[in-house]
Amino acid sequence: MTAAVLFDLDETLLDRTTSLIAFLADQHNRFRSRLGYAAFEAWRDRFIAMDARGHTHKSVVYPTILAEFSGDPAAADDLLDDYRERCSSFARPFAGMAETLQELRSRGMYLGIITNGETAFQSRHIEALGLDRMVDAVLISQTEGLRKPDPALFERAAARLCAPASECLFIGDNPVADVLGAHNAGMSTAWFQCGRDWPADLPPPPGAVIERLSEVLALVDDVSAVR
Ligand SMILES: [Mg+2]
């Protein structure tokens, strides 16, 4: 039986790459005169590569890329402030996000989000997608003082949804932080694959593998698919 369904945010509910590219196009246009010789496509491609799906902090990304393109070094702080302030206004969900969450709720599931990141930045994205009204609990690592894949963070989320971990299903895109983290905390799991391969140096995904959020609806009815 599944009592609660929990999701990662970036690249699981939030189509982060698409959203980020839309923001970068707008930012490049507004800051163009300070970015050196970089055309947008070159700036975007270098940013996306260095960002590495959010793993590199933007306080490192901006000064590095400015130096590479001979931009104004003093622009780094302004670009970072602008990123923190405006990125969420370009937030776009993956297809079926709202419909899937609404259907899960109508079936009596409790819903939660566990995300690694900065409280203010992640909260803005959650509000931009309307998720604050669609889920019952949001746990952001900076607020909680714990980061995925620490099992204590998953256990805290389950407790906040008043469900034992064994009755929670967790969906995320990161093999280690999300899937193995939730599995080690005793949750069922689904890996949101996004067209990527599971790392060869890890044990195989312990639960389901999905390509679309709407596939979660079938998983909550079939516990054998996620164990
Ligand atoms: Mg993610």
Side-chain angles (χ1 to χ4, degrees), residues 113-194:
I113 294 170
I114 310 177
T115 177
N116 284 348
E118 296 175 9
T119 301
F121 190 80
Q122 299 302 78
S123 295
R124 278 199 194 109
H125 282 79
I126 286 165
E127 289 168 18
L129 296 180
L131 288 165
D132 51 320
R133 299 185 302 277
M134 295 185 215
V135 304
D136 304 293
V138 174
L139 290 86
I140 303 174
S141 63
Q142 186 181 42
T143 310
E144 304 299 328
L146 294 170
R147 287 178 66 81
K148 296 179 290 186
D150 189 333
L153 183 56
F154 293 95
E155 289 158 8
R156 186 180 295 178
R160 219 165 275 177
L161 294 174
C162 301
S166 61
E167 294 180 13
C168 292
L169 168 64
F170 190 88
I171 296 97
D173 71 296
N174 188 296
V176 173
D178 293 325
V179 178
L180 297 180
H183 178 72
N184 289 336
M187 294 183 178
S188 301
T189 60
W191 179 43
F192 190 59
Q193 186 174 19
C194 283

Side-chain angles (χ1 to χ4, degrees), residues 4-179:
V5 185
L6 296 109
F7 295 85
D8 166 52
L9 179 63
D10 292 331
E11 303 292 20
T12 298
L13 296 172
L14 169 69
D15 184 350
R16 181 177 179 274
T17 300
T18 299
S19 306
L20 180 58
I21 288 172
F23 164 75
L24 289 175
D26 180 73
Q27 187 182 53
H28 186 276
N29 193 42
R30 287 182 292 110
F31 283 81
R32 188 192 311 249
S33 65
R34 303 176 68 188
L35 304 184
Y37 59 80
F40 171 64
E41 290 73 16
W43 177 269
R44 172 199 65 199
D45 292 350
R46 188 68 186 104
F47 192 105
I48 295 295
M50 194 168 176
D51 172 70
R53 295 174 71 87
H55 287 294
T56 310
H57 199 274
K58 266 41 74 183
S59 61
V60 175
V61 172
Y62 279 118
T64 304
I65 302 182
L66 281 167
E68 290 176 0
F69 290 110
S70 302
D72 172 12
D77 287 346
D78 297 336
L79 288 163
L80 181 59
D81 289 345
D82 183 70
Y83 171 80
R84 287 187 164 129
E85 195 63 37
R86 298 182 61 128
C87 191
S88 62
S89 60
F90 293 85
R92 297 288 178 272
F94 278 107
M97 182 198 79
E99 296 84 350
T100 300
L101 294 178
Q102 285 159 6
E103 175 61 22
L104 290 169
R105 250 197 175 166
S106 75
R107 296 190 197 176
M109 306 282 163
Y110 291 102
L111 302 178
I113 294 170
I114 310 177
T115 177
N116 284 348
E118 296 175 9
T119 301
F121 190 80
Q122 299 302 78
S123 295
R124 278 199 194 109
H125 282 79
I126 286 165
E127 289 168 18
L129 296 180
L131 288 165
D132 51 320
R133 299 185 302 277
M134 295 185 215
V135 304
D136 304 293
V138 174
L139 290 86
I140 303 174
S141 63
Q142 186 181 42
T143 310
E144 304 299 328
L146 294 170
R147 287 178 66 81
K148 296 179 290 186
D150 189 333
L153 183 56
F154 293 95
E155 289 158 8
R156 186 180 295 178
R160 219 165 275 177
L161 294 174
C162 301
S166 61
E167 294 180 13
C168 292
L169 168 64
F170 190 88
I171 296 97
D173 71 296
N174 188 296
V176 173
D178 293 325
V179 178

